Amino acid sequence: MRTFLNMSRPGNLSVKLPLSVLNTLVWRGLPTERTLAAPAVTRWIHSLRDSDQFLKESRVVLLGEVASVTVEHPLYDRLPEVPYQYRELLGCIWREPVTGYLAPGERARTLAALLHTGADGRAVTTELVARSGLDPRDWLQHLLSALLPPLLHFLYRYGTVFSPHGENAVVVYDARDVPVRLAVKDFVDDVNLSAAPLPELADVPADVREVLLTEPPAFLTQFLHAGLFVGVFRYLAPLCEQQLGIPEAEFWAMVRGTILGHQRRFPELGDRFTLFDLLTPRIDRLCLNRNRLHADGYRDRAERPHAVVHGTVANPLHAG
């Protein structure tokens, strides 16, 4: 854990610190350039939301990284090819807490919480459905309608993706525990832009474009596939079948239907649906274990690694 909340004053900013821990793919430090650019990235992301009627209507919460500081190492920062983790040792990012965005009666839980199962075998998802009083399918549709449209709109309209994995995506619920909207965090590390030239990206501020990574459109969709569909929904689908009586095939059909419904709402973006194809028959398989076992091992390297792509898997969102 490296993000700390103020429990006595929950409205205060949270604090994100670097850790000298190798977790999944990378050492969990704070890269100097991206850390310093955090407030600028936040201003740009917020400007997209504030100027877009759909995003304003969705009430998506973008937890801003409003201040940052970093300290250069007096020696390592001047050595060529120094391992990247030694350039990320000391810094801090101050982030807005979700509590300041909650209306009376609302509660926020990380997306990962839905997969948690108690000692009695009952999942948090099952408990929330019971509390809501809704039919399980209606509750699940509320969840999908809260999560997917803002993420899809950022992708299709602006060629911009977050990494909405179980920690970065936070679900906001109403007083009955019905999902109503999405909160997203971690902009500097996990916001990526389309490498394909899009008019909407022509005016990205220079200090933002310099630090955010760009990816080809076919790989940009992997942030939704890997972070959300594989990282969370792959486990949520069988859970819904076992505890809510919603077959896995129906679960994925509901996800696909939500994507197609969003596309029907914005027919003028038809070329983007093809460019950023989430419904392709197969998707690349990202293998973090191969990074550790074959590609990188535990050796030092000058730059942060990318996840190894090894083969493909069938896409459950494709209607074949």
Side-chain angles (χ1 to χ4, degrees):
M1 294 177 60
R2 62 168 175 161
T3 299
F4 296 87
L5 309 178
N6 192 319
M7 298 300 292
S8 59
R9 291 180 289 178
N12 282 21
L13 299 175
S14 59
V15 174
K16 179 179 180 179
L17 300 174
L19 286 180
S20 293
V21 171
L22 180 62
N23 180 257
T24 59
L25 187 61
V26 298
W27 291 89
R28 295 295 163 173
L30 288 178
T32 298
E33 295 80 7
R34 292 192 221 170
T35 298
L36 292 179
V41 174
T42 289
R43 287 192 294 270
W44 177 66
I45 291 291
H46 282 185
S47 73
L48 295 183
R49 177 201 59 196
D50 295 342
S51 62
D52 188 288
Q53 187 61 35
F54 175 79
L55 291 176
K56 287 192 292 186
E57 291 175 358
S58 74
R59 300 187 302 136
V60 60
V61 177
L62 304 172
L63 298 175
E65 298 166 354
V66 298
S68 61
V69 65
T70 186
V71 178
E72 295 184 356
H73 193 284
L75 297 178
Y76 288 133
D77 277 39
R78 290 163 176 76
L79 293 176
E81 298 300 309
V82 69
Y84 72 88
Q85 65 266 27
Y86 298 131
R87 302 195 307 269
E88 305 179 0
L89 292 172
L90 187 56
C92 181
I93 292 175
W94 285 266
R95 180 189 290 138
E96 295 176 308
V98 71
T99 52
Y101 288 95
L102 300 181
E106 287 186 334
R107 296 188 64 181
R109 302 177 181 91
T110 62
L111 185 59
L114 292 177
L115 304 178
H116 180 74
T117 301
D120 61 354
R122 184 178 174 86
V124 169
T125 298
T126 305
E127 175 62 25
L128 295 177
V129 172
R131 292 183 189 181
S132 74
L134 295 179
D135 176 83
R137 288 170 176 80
D138 292 339
W139 188 94
L140 179 58
Q141 187 58 62
H142 278 281
L143 176 68
L144 299 178
S145 297
L147 287 176
L148 291 176
L151 298 173
L152 295 172
H153 199 69
F154 269 107
L155 173 63
Y156 293 144
R157 175 72 73 182
Y158 300 107
T160 299
V161 292
F162 302 91
S163 183
H165 56 64
E167 179 195 2
N168 281 354
V170 177
V171 184
V172 178
Y173 302 82
D174 66 14
R176 295 188 302 135
D177 281 317
V178 177
V180 291
R181 55 200 176 109
L182 169 70
V184 185
K185 64 182 181 70
D186 213 350
F187 301 159
V188 169
D189 278 346
D190 286 327
V191 168
N192 286 253
L193 307 179
S194 170
L198 300 179
E200 293 84 356
L201 294 177
D203 297 327
V204 177
D207 52 351
V208 173
R209 186 175 287 279
E210 286 175 1
V211 298
L212 293 186
L213 300 178
T214 60
E215 300 287 355
F219 193 84
L220 208 64
T221 57
Q222 278 288 348
F223 289 88
L224 292 183
H225 276 298
L228 182 60
F229 302 145
V230 175
V232 180
F233 286 1
R234 176 175 59 147
Y235 305 100
L236 186 60
L239 185 154
C240 287
E241 178 168 274
Q242 295 160 13
Q243 300 198 16
L244 299 179
I246 303 174
E248 284 196 53
E250 185 177 351
F251 176 98
W252 289 110
M254 291 177 67
V255 177
R256 176 183 170 86
T258 304
I259 295 173
L260 292 175
H262 183 80
Q263 292 181 355
R264 286 192 294 270
R265 182 166 178 175
F266 296 95
E268 71 276 13
L269 297 177
D271 60 329
R272 305 287 175 85
F273 309 150
T274 302
L275 182 66
F276 305 112
D277 187 4
L278 292 170
L279 309 179
T280 182
R282 301 189 67 82
I283 58 176
D284 289 337
R285 184 173 63 172
L286 304 186
C287 302
L288 300 186
N289 283 341
R290 295 189 72 87
N291 281 84
R292 197 65 54 239
L293 298 174
H294 297 282
D296 299 310
Y298 290 87
R299 68 182 176 89
D300 288 331
R301 50 183 297 155
E303 303 294 336
R304 287 187 166 206
H306 276 68
V308 169
V309 177
H310 183 72
T312 64
V313 294
N315 182 3
L317 298 177
H318 177 71

